[in-house]
Amino acid sequence: MGALFVSAILASCGGEAPPVAIVAPLTTVAPRPEIYADFQLTADLGELSDKQREMIKILIDASQIMDDLYWKQAYGEDHEAWLDSIADVDTRRFAELNYGPWDRLDDDKPFIEGVGAKPLGANIYPADMSKEEFEQAYLPGKVGLYSLIRRNADGSLRLIPYHVAYAEELKKAALLLRSAAKHAESTDFANYLKLRAAALISDEFQVSDMYWMDVRDNDIDIVIGPIETYEDRLFGYRAAYEAYVLIKDHEWSDRLSRFADFLPQLQKGLPVSDEYKWETPGTDSDLNAYDVVYYAGHSNAGSKTIAINLPNDEEVQLTRGTRRLQLKNAMRAKFDKILEPIADELIDESQRGHITFDAFFANTMFHEVAHGLGIKNTIDGRGTVREVLLETASSMEEGKADILGLYMITELHKAGELGDVDLHDYYVTFMTSVFRSIRFGAASAHGKANMVRFNFFLDSGAFERDAETGKYRVDFERMASAMTDLSRLLLTLQGDGDYDGARELLETKGVISEQLQADLDRLTNASIPVDITFQQGIAELGLE
Ligand SMILES: [Zn+2]
């Protein structure tokens, strides 16, 4: 979920003087498409019928509309013409990867001279609107997920629902989903596609979200619509369009399906007092592995998601739980192309052997499961944690999921549920992953959450750096208490809805020290990619 941080600092003085805006000087950085390793998104379609293949093509067409809408939200109306105006090949490529002229993995710094800072509200709010103006404006429904804010001719603000602003595109997408439904072999999935089509053109997503929880017998799936709120860095209220087209991996799914059953028991064992864990995580959740065959819109911008935990709707989560989708082919790409090379550079020889794909897969999987733990509403009844923590909400939630994921692994390992695997594999692979995620920069909620955790663990001695070799190792004894302390801290900040506390944590611990920066620079100098980018589509799948 959600979003972050103000690169320009607004300092308002008290007393008579008007507020003065101090804007940090904005440097233009160089385009760097090489930080993304190329990866061809394919999957084994051998088992699929002709109808299913046809359906995948239609779902990809619908996804491309989400891609176009996301461009409008992130950048502006006519992105094609803008891209065509960029002469330099590297710059144009980098603009495509970032859906705009700002480097998403470097705090959204501009890489084209003269474009200025990225508006915190992207193209979802007027660029010249302040937080205060929005807060004071009378706009019914203004804390909603599915609307644009624009100015009237007289300068006042108005709200335009997505289904009005994007009526034409959404109608096309809805027609495609209905047409895909005709090819579906699963009746439930066909019904879901029809409900989702209706949702797209009405901005009413809850019914389709609820129904999606029941769709179990489909080999092909799609996540589509305005879903995550990271693009709204002003408030974290509004969702951006995206899509994933997915093919279920039955073999790996069977391996995963049993873990959701442990959630209620693990919720009870959380290291906080009862009022912070009174909510019951939905047990009717499922956990499955997929190969992704298409990413579009938000999911395809900057860093690529390797696991999904949806729906975000708190009511659905409380009554039904969530579905967790592990994106296996994308995960494998990141492990091979990024994690292993990072380990070679930064992990102590004595622990290098603990970095395994199975541990990477498990850590990512349990991160997703752990989103279901903890609390969704503040303990004093002020509302959902997400609403109260505003732009810090995403970092707190991602940080919680990371640390509680490791807590789950530790507990399940103790109980003998994880088989004959060395617990140290999970911890060392976890630390290596932190380096990978920190490279996403402070503009990403995941990146910020990882900086907090890295500093927390370094300060507590759970991570150690050898001054001579410049390599890191895990102190397994200290790891346990550091894990408990950080879990308690994040669960409490969330339960209390402590916005000031969350900000303070991000400001003090969500930073990259000089030492860490120097170590991260070693990864850059070794040309280790930061993320992956996909060659994807109908041709790549051999469906033409
Ligand atoms: Zn997450």
Side-chain angles (χ1 to χ4, degrees), residues 412-444:
L412 291 171
H413 191 270
K414 263 188 226 162
E417 289 293 335
L418 295 183
D420 189 21
V421 183
D422 189 344
L423 188 60
H424 295 177
D425 287 4
Y426 299 105
Y427 290 171
V428 180
T429 304
F430 182 84
M431 177 174 71
T432 315
S433 280
V434 174
F435 291 110
R436 187 182 69 83
S437 302
I438 285 177
R439 299 176 85 206
F440 294 149
S444 134

Side-chain angles (χ1 to χ4, degrees), residues 124-367:
I124 302 169
Y125 301 87
D128 62 354
M129 186 200 78
S130 69
K131 282 183 104 151
E132 293 71 25
E133 183 185 1
F134 180 80
E135 275 155 6
Q136 283 158 20
Y138 174 72
L139 281 172
K142 70 182 179 179
V143 184
L145 286 153
Y146 312 119
S147 55
L148 298 172
I149 302 298
R150 291 291 181 259
R151 284 197 189 283
N152 293 311
D154 67 0
S156 60
L157 298 174
R158 76 171 184 281
L159 186 143
I160 311 175
Y162 287 169
H163 73 274
V164 175
Y166 305 130
E168 199 183 315
E169 294 91 336
L170 293 172
K171 197 175 153 194
K172 272 187 210 154
L175 285 171
L176 285 166
L177 293 188
R178 288 201 189 101
S179 140
K182 293 188 191 124
H183 295 82
E185 284 171 3
S186 152
T187 313
D188 285 348
F189 187 59
N191 288 337
Y192 166 68
L193 287 173
K194 287 180 234 168
L195 287 172
R196 203 64 181 174
L200 282 175
I201 53 173
S202 66
D203 295 329
E204 301 281 346
F205 290 90
Q206 196 175 68
V207 172
S208 67
D209 279 347
M210 285 279 187
Y211 193 86
W212 188 58
M213 297 300 298
D214 291 326
V215 184
R216 297 288 163 93
D217 63 345
N218 51 325
D219 296 321
I220 294 159
D221 211 331
I222 186 168
V223 168
I224 189 166
I227 295 169
E228 300 292 352
T229 56
Y230 300 92
E231 194 66 21
D232 175 3
R233 293 182 307 137
L234 198 56
F235 292 105
Y237 291 151
R238 294 185 152 68
Y241 284 93
E242 67 180 336
Y244 302 82
V245 180
L246 306 149
I247 297 176
K248 193 184 258 181
D249 181 320
H250 290 284
E251 193 191 320
W252 281 67
S253 295
D254 292 343
R255 274 174 72 173
L256 304 181
S257 58
R258 61 201 181 97
F259 290 114
D261 298 343
F262 289 94
L263 273 176
Q265 180 187 334
L266 288 162
Q267 171 86 353
K268 287 199 190 103
L270 290 175
V272 281
S273 51
D274 288 345
E275 70 261 39
Y276 294 95
K277 54 182 175 185
W278 70 271
E279 290 175 6
T280 308
T283 51
D284 186 18
S285 302
D286 73 347
L287 184 58
N288 286 291
Y290 294 81
D291 283 326
V292 200
V293 295
Y294 205 78
Y295 281 77
H298 178 261
S299 68
N300 195 41
S303 62
K304 308 301 182 295
T305 299
I306 51 180
I308 306 172
N309 178 43
L310 287 173
N312 284 335
D313 187 311
E314 281 92 358
E315 271 183 65
V316 181
Q317 290 193 0
L318 275 176
T319 54
R320 304 297 314 278
T322 55
R323 288 182 55 189
R324 288 170 279 270
L325 298 80
Q326 305 291 306
L327 313 182
K328 194 166 62 64
N329 54 350
M331 226 180 269
R332 188 86 223 186
K334 293 207 187 193
F335 184 80
D336 291 349
K337 295 198 180 243
I338 305 171
L339 208 71
E340 292 253 45
I342 288 178
D344 292 338
E345 191 66 38
L346 288 183
I347 304 305
D348 196 276
E349 281 308 315
S350 64
Q351 297 190 346
R352 177 65 185 81
H354 285 302
I355 292 136
T356 66
F357 179 70
D358 282 356
F360 183 57
F361 185 77
N363 287 346
T364 316
M365 170 178 82
F366 283 105
H367 167 107

